[in-house]
Amino acid sequence: MRVVSGIQPTGDLHLGNLLGAILRWVRMQEETECLFFLADLHAITVDVDPATLRKNVREMAAALIASGIDPEKSTLFAHSDVPAHPELAWILGCTAKMGWLSRMTQFKAKSGKHKERASVGLFTYPVLQAADVLLYQATHVPVGDDQKQHIELARDIAEAFNHHTGSELFTAPAPYIGGGTAARVMSLRNGTEKMSKSAESDMSRINLTDDDDTILQKIRKARTDPEPLPESAEGLAERAEARNLVGIMAAIEDRSVDAVLADYAGKGFGDFKPALADALIALLSPLRTRLLELRKEEAELDRILDAGAQEAAALAQPTLDAAYQAVGLRRR
Ligand code: TYM
């Protein structure tokens, strides 16, 4: 078992990233070999200011370490520091088909109405994402639900490449999605949209850097309905906002939605929201304190990323060489 996953260094971590991916990575590093990277080559598929990107890479490394990623246990690196990623992406881009990429819902969502003006990189980036995991023979890729389609594409590319070259070169990776609602944490303003960094209103998400009072305000103002909480998860089927808040509580406490509801059935959000805010503050406040400390350690963060990149490059090289050879390219 080898775990590989990535995150774009887009400023702040939010609760969706944490519950959907990062806190699961933290648990997995105790059990198996893990590689985690900052997907900075993905970040440039949309307009981003160069100075901001440079700053965000270090900031995201600090945020991951503050959240519990231990660079002694996991390999932590920025994927622009390992040229094997874009090298393999080129080869895999010649296996992937236009039709496969055209079906990617995230491209459709991110390119919006102006597809002609989207970068070619935004369209082909799922191929780079496939290279990110295939390079390391990843068996498990822990992600939130929104990345499932991209990992399935990586599987398709791996199988097509193996078939075409008559090799067993690539391991087909499996998306590894957490149970319950943590797989898709929704906006606090609209229960049908996922919580995301790009949503306009900051009130729609909880950020790792929000102070206790901000967390309390955001939960207090989170959209809900006037009904009391039901006795079991089925009662939340048509109540997207309520389902999201209960799901967040369940994910934080590592309990089922039914177990949380057993404590709150018949009660309203006047009771539930303060308890949820307390649970969030208890989770996030120590992470935030660590992050503020780590931000000052720029040289140490750079050292960690350099060491991680060296380890990753060494692990990637044999697979990259074999891919060149499999398609008939000379490798010295
Ligand atoms: P990114 O940076 O958008 O998100 C990082 C991780 O957080 C998860 N996530 C969520 N989970 C639950 N609810 C949400 N609202 C929510 N928002 C984000 C994402 O599913 C992801 O696991 N393309 C990837 C980065 C990437 C990658 C990879 C991931 C690049 N190469 C290879 C896995 C393997 C991305 O943009 O994630």
Side-chain angles (χ1 to χ4, degrees), residues 17-270:
N17 302 136
L18 269 175
L19 298 180
I22 317 301
L23 295 181
R24 297 171 53 232
W25 298 1
V26 171
R27 287 198 293 273
M28 292 177 96
Q29 73 181 348
E30 302 300 329
E31 287 155 26
T32 190
E33 184 187 7
C34 292
L35 292 100
F36 301 119
F37 58 86
L38 311 170
D40 49 359
L41 292 172
H42 281 183
I44 61 169
T45 56
V46 293
D47 239 352
V48 53
D49 168 54
T52 308
L53 177 62
R54 218 161 290 140
K55 185 168 113 341
N56 282 351
V57 168
R58 227 187 243 140
E59 170 73 13
M60 187 59 86
L64 293 185
I65 297 170
S67 304
I69 298 297
D70 178 353
E72 299 289 318
K73 293 183 183 151
S74 300
T75 303
L76 179 64
F77 63 103
H79 80 348
S80 64
D81 284 336
V82 183
H85 289 244
E87 274 193 79
L88 182 63
W90 178 259
I91 294 181
L92 299 181
C94 300
T95 296
K97 303 293 176 239
M98 292 289 291
W100 301 355
L101 288 177
S102 307
R103 286 194 283 277
M104 295 295 115
T105 52
Q106 204 155 82
F107 174 75
K108 290 182 203 164
K110 283 202 177 176
S111 58
K113 288 190 197 114
H114 304 290
K115 298 218 170 0
E116 298 298 316
R117 274 195 251 148
S119 71
V120 172
L122 187 67
F123 183 70
T124 60
Y125 115 108
V127 177
L128 178 60
Q129 182 156 347
D132 295 341
V133 296
L134 298 183
L135 258 185
Y136 302 102
Q137 309 289 348
T139 52
H140 294 72
V141 186
V143 284
D145 194 48
D146 60 322
Q147 293 298 318
K148 187 173 175 211
Q149 197 187 28
H150 289 160
I151 308 306
E152 283 165 353
L153 176 82
R155 259 187 106 78
D156 290 344
I157 293 176
E159 281 162 6
F161 184 97
N162 287 351
H163 180 74
H164 178 69
T165 57
S167 71
E168 292 290 321
L169 179 57
F170 292 124
T171 307
Y176 189 68
I177 296 175
T181 20
R184 193 170 272 264
V185 177
M186 308 310 277
S187 155
L188 300 178
R189 309 300 299 165
N190 177 350
T192 63
E193 276 173 15
K194 72 171 180 178
M195 184 177 286
S196 108
K197 183 73 207 167
S198 49
E200 227 167 84
S201 164
D202 193 57
M203 294 302 282
S204 70
R205 62 186 160 256
I206 305 273
N207 303 302
L208 183 54
T209 47
D210 288 344
D211 60 27
D212 294 353
D213 194 47
T214 307
I215 296 174
L216 187 62
Q217 292 308 327
K218 285 182 175 176
I219 293 301
R220 209 176 263 161
K221 299 216 169 101
R223 203 165 135 188
T224 44
D225 56 44
E227 302 296 315
L229 284 162
E231 275 168 18
S232 70
E234 291 98 78
L236 294 173
E238 302 298 321
R239 298 171 63 186
E241 282 84 14
R243 190 170 65 239
N244 188 38
L245 295 187
V246 176
I248 291 172
M249 184 72 128
I252 295 173
E253 296 186 335
D254 203 14
R255 297 203 286 165
S256 69
V257 166
D258 281 340
V260 172
L261 288 174
D263 290 347
Y264 292 96
K267 295 188 181 157
F269 285 97

